[in-house]
Amino acid sequence: MRPSGRDLSEMRAVSIDTDVTKHAEGSCLIKIGDTHVLCTASLEERVPPFIKGSGLGWVTAEYGMLPRSTSSRMRREAAAGKQGGRTVEIQRLIGRSLRAGVDRVALGERQITVDCDVLQADGGTRCAAITGGWVALRLAVNKLMKAGDVLSDPLLSPVAAVSCGIYAGQPVLDLDYPEDSAAGVDGNFVMRGDGRLIEVQMSAEGAAFSREELDTLMGLADLGVQNLVAVQKAAVA
Amino acid sequence: MRPSGRDLSEMRAVSIDTDVTKHAEGSCLIKIGDTHVLCTASLEERVPPFIKGSGLGWVTAEYGMLPRSTSSRMRREAAAGKQGGRTVEIQRLIGRSLRAGVDRVALGERQITVDCDVLQADGGTRCAAITGGWVALRLAVNKLMKAGDVLSDPLLSPVAAVSCGIYAGQPVLDLDYPEDSAAGVDGNFVMRGDGRLIEVQMSAEGAAFSREELDTLMGLADLGVQNLVAVQKAAVA
Amino acid sequence: MRPSGRDLSEMRAVSIDTDVTKHAEGSCLIKIGDTHVLCTASLEERVPPFIKGSGLGWVTAEYGMLPRSTSSRMRREAAAGKQGGRTVEIQRLIGRSLRAGVDRVALGERQITVDCDVLQADGGTRCAAITGGWVALRLAVNKLMKAGDVLSDPLLSPVAAVSCGIYAGQPVLDLDYPEDSAAGVDGNFVMRGDGRLIEVQMSAEGAAFSREELDTLMGLADLGVQNLVAVQKAAVA
Amino acid sequence: MRPSGRDLSEMRAVSIDTDVTKHAEGSCLIKIGDTHVLCTASLEERVPPFIKGSGLGWVTAEYGMLPRSTSSRMRREAAAGKQGGRTVEIQRLIGRSLRAGVDRVALGERQITVDCDVLQADGGTRCAAITGGWVALRLAVNKLMKAGDVLSDPLLSPVAAVSCGIYAGQPVLDLDYPEDSAAGVDGNFVMRGDGRLIEVQMSAEGAAFSREELDTLMGLADLGVQNLVAVQKAAVA
Amino acid sequence: MRPSGRDLSEMRAVSIDTDVTKHAEGSCLIKIGDTHVLCTASLEERVPPFIKGSGLGWVTAEYGMLPRSTSSRMRREAAAGKQGGRTVEIQRLIGRSLRAGVDRVALGERQITVDCDVLQADGGTRCAAITGGWVALRLAVNKLMKAGDVLSDPLLSPVAAVSCGIYAGQPVLDLDYPEDSAAGVDGNFVMRGDGRLIEVQMSAEGAAFSREELDTLMGLADLGVQNLVAVQKAAVA
Amino acid sequence: MRPSGRDLSEMRAVSIDTDVTKHAEGSCLIKIGDTHVLCTASLEERVPPFIKGSGLGWVTAEYGMLPRSTSSRMRREAAAGKQGGRTVEIQRLIGRSLRAGVDRVALGERQITVDCDVLQADGGTRCAAITGGWVALRLAVNKLMKAGDVLSDPLLSPVAAVSCGIYAGQPVLDLDYPEDSAAGVDGNFVMRGDGRLIEVQMSAEGAAFSREELDTLMGLADLGVQNLVAVQKAAVA
């Protein structure tokens, strides 16, 4: 029934290659099916003005799509002179999600910027960005710890995200682009490794959903995130 | 326990005054406690390029805060030269939420822009904007129907929104600013008049939540939206 | 002869409600006929770089129109990415006018920003903004004086403004929108409470005027400003 | 008493060289003392969208200052990414002033853009721009008439402008920069060749003025404009 | 003597992987040592306004660096709100260079946009972008020819580019970042497959060079480009 | 054979008038045929952040064209809200070229900004800007030396630039606009007074060139620059 022939609760193949760029403190290339996102974590020994002197660290994220990561070429945001609303919304979500797994006292007064750049898109780029972004963050923090710059681990838990939705009347896990563009209800679940929720975003376009349906989707998401967390752990091991 | 002395499931006082500006096709001033939002609906007999010729209508929204709607003055976005990420995120949510209650075929190839401008802020401005925005939209559509420009009602259902969160360890309904800035978990529920969900956005900052907690919050939201829909109905009667 | 049936030297009804927002140090809603402007005065204990350390205070103003304050919806300036030329021109006028009534030594090294946001427009918004802006400023300064932060009153005189023009060959006071858009000659007079002039801006579009006509208009303006100053005084009493 | 030693009603030396650039349909370099403005008039056989099909013509103006036209270098507006408020205000004034002397029916559906670029500034640049701008416009219109593209002269009258102010307690004509920066009251008078007024802009900074003072300044302006119109006529003869 | 231990006329290892993204009509990942650039060619059946109706085709290019492609993180240009001067300069060079190898009549009225995004930078990114960009272009044009949309081959010759410079007093081929930042004289040579020149850009910073030195560098460039063209041909075979 | 009737190696008439504006520390108006560029050098006792405290000076340049310096009016860059790619490319070239002739230690920690504004364009504006810019720089540095602010001359050599190209199959010196727009190969040579090269930029549009042709053009450039340096020396004598 799904365009890809997958089962309702079947994710696409997931792989995470680490240390893919020589400059970044942490980096990975995450592939979730045909969605490929390059994630880097950059460490700076300075923080934004609003927390200067607080002793707290900061984790933030930026997101971009290469112009031809999509089926027809998009305008380059740097050429357009601004980031679009969707980009801004996504990068705020990534930053909030990653921060929810960080002990900012333990991190100390420094900033880690996670850049998530989509090389190829086929649905679910923001979830891939969060999942891969956490791996890049983990690797960068490992360097800090190995150098003795932080003493206790500032990462409380893995953070991963997956999309779910109602496609052709059925609840499905991990929507690809054909499903995403046809689904009346879909959203993203960001969770910690222990299954607790960090962010739920579910929305209907030209439709509505019940509390029961949300519950079913959350069950699927739980499965998906467990899978992703296992891949994350293997990647950073 | 709540700073305002309200019960956990008690909303602030809600009022909606309609037809508050002489130019807009529909308008209202919604007050939810000390949060005051002026909502106008503007009708145009043209649609955005991407649906030209499709016969479908479009509903979109814009959101702004007056510089001194807040406790300390914010920079005017027009002077800053761009809308901030939060503004963009909110106005996309309002637009999506209102469209979820619209039959775009019945509306016909025309556009209604709902402007939500916050005159005074005390938490929950985006929920007030959705709830008041729907009233403005309803009044504008009434004019279209009275003029015979649309034949069947394009509004499928009222749309209203309320915030919930976990404040000081307790699930609470309709957070005001002091609660909102202290809550570790909070979010917004957008629903139709029949209780079905249109959008759920729940996020944790420096915390996480369980599926059971989400369920409890959804119950509170249900109560709140029923209340708001009753006020909406009285306002447009 | 006037569309509204008013006499040549008759102003529209004027009202000023004070303390209309809970956050601003001073605020009012001024209504001049169907022109409604929300004015707030925000106090900050810092000044712009160019007077830092001078001991002098600063008063500045910003102006905006809600998108549907006008008969057809205007583009939101924040979305357009810049303030239009008319907006810039008006807010510079408001700032200059208000400063002309301020003793900047007595104010001390602090800044008051007066925001004038047009909720509904029907001609004469800049004059209403100046007149209402002065009331908001007066109320904010009162707070400073009551708190003992300034010792002698920095406000030298009330400042108010009114428009005049030649409509259908006749000199008229306080043009509404139908008159404003048809008048070949019109302008604004900003005056102090004692009748001395602060700013005169009179311009002709597709026409010209004589010194005698300017003199007649100035006589009308004198009447109008006396009226406005009386309303200001009552409002802040 | 004046820094330059001039009498109260004495203008600076005025010269206008015409046809100073080979590309523009009309051009001149106007020098008013040490204020030098290059004015060009560019003809285009198209009009702005808002008058398309109306049969009416349009005259508009743009204004700029070279970065080092002033005593200390100003930031280049193109590099800053926008025109400042003062620039916008001035170019709107120039455009309005020139249009006030144009019969837009006689001009026909075409546009003339007058660019006024300040090569060297010493006070009064906007008045020089209007006065020189009219000469450039006159020369461009002459070409149109010679070519038979317009049949009756669209220029109703010369348009010229001069500044006046109260400097050291005395009314003075044509302020140079040292006077301009010290004057508490100053402004600009734009007039037609027959002495009728097109625009009056008089403003006080930290001061106020009486109707009598305005009258005296207007008398000075009258003298100044007669002088300028004579130079304009000689230049285009 | 070179930091990398290479001989003066020795290039870094070069590889070109083709068809690396599923959406673009042509694509490759070019690696020149540690400089990695992802190049895509996007075909559109429309041309820029200035050649509409001319029957001629257009090839253009855009260039970007991922924020952490460099040793310390650069600001994302989309977030900064504009492309920097260096970016603009480079993408104009890439576009000009590629067009020099295109028969625009044979291409027909369509546009190909070549996007060159630097994933990892170690000197010579613009040369890698031109060399890889030509491969992406070749692959996209092959599709057009296979589909019968163009009849004769619009690509006249391969186009490739290499940098040369004077490092530590010696002429060297293909500078990496440590050499590039220390060289007093360096530049880029863009050539066709037959050795004829398309673009020469040689510049000195705090130094100067003789015609003899330029001649020596050109000899090195000749070698380098022959090498690159061989790799290009193998990649597209 | 050349549109102007000039010999292949014949430059246009060159003149440089110095001290043309009263405010700038150094200034000139350079005319190369019908190309007229106003160059000013502005001295500031501060440097950009990246060299603060280094003891080194900085020379930078900005470039602009008046809107009607060209045959049809160009959009004003300040109104467009940004400098175009061509402008950015040119002003970076001017800055680099001038710095190549400066001993930044001898200059000391101060900045000189050279503004090059094209009053009238007929090809070769960037070369005129470099040649005239150096004269303005020389005059400003002379003032510094006369005042004893710098002890040894920071200007190592004159810097001048000329364009060459292949027009109608023939190598020509100093292209005017008709030649420039028709030439398949053209470029700019920036040299010091001793004939050593600072920058070579040669590019082909729809063509290619051989090393022999480049050599011939360089010979022409050599002649041209010798001529320009003689005029520079006379102007600053």
Side-chain angles (χ1 to χ4, degrees), chain D residues 22 25 68 73 115 120, chain F residues 25 68 73 76 115:
Chain D
K22 75 172 198 176
E25 281 73 28
R68 195 57 196 279
R73 187 178 182 271
D115 285 288
Q120 188 175 278
Chain F
E25 281 73 27
R68 195 56 194 281
R73 187 178 183 271
R76 187 179 288 267
D115 285 288

Side-chain angles (χ1 to χ4, degrees), chain D residues 7 10 22-23 30 49-50 65 71 78-79 82 141 196 208 216:
Chain D
D7 286 341
E10 187 184 346
K22 75 172 198 176
H23 299 302
I30 183 168
F50 64 90
M65 299 184 84
S71 134
K82 64 171 195 161
V141 168
R196 285 175 69 85
T216 307

Side-chain angles (χ1 to χ4, degrees), chain C residues 44-47 51-57 107-111:
Chain C
E44 288 167 303
E45 291 295 325
R46 55 180 190 78
V47 289
I51 49 169
K52 220 168 216 169
S54 68
L56 297 171
L107 179 55
E109 202 164 317
R110 50 176 61 87
Q111 170 167 289

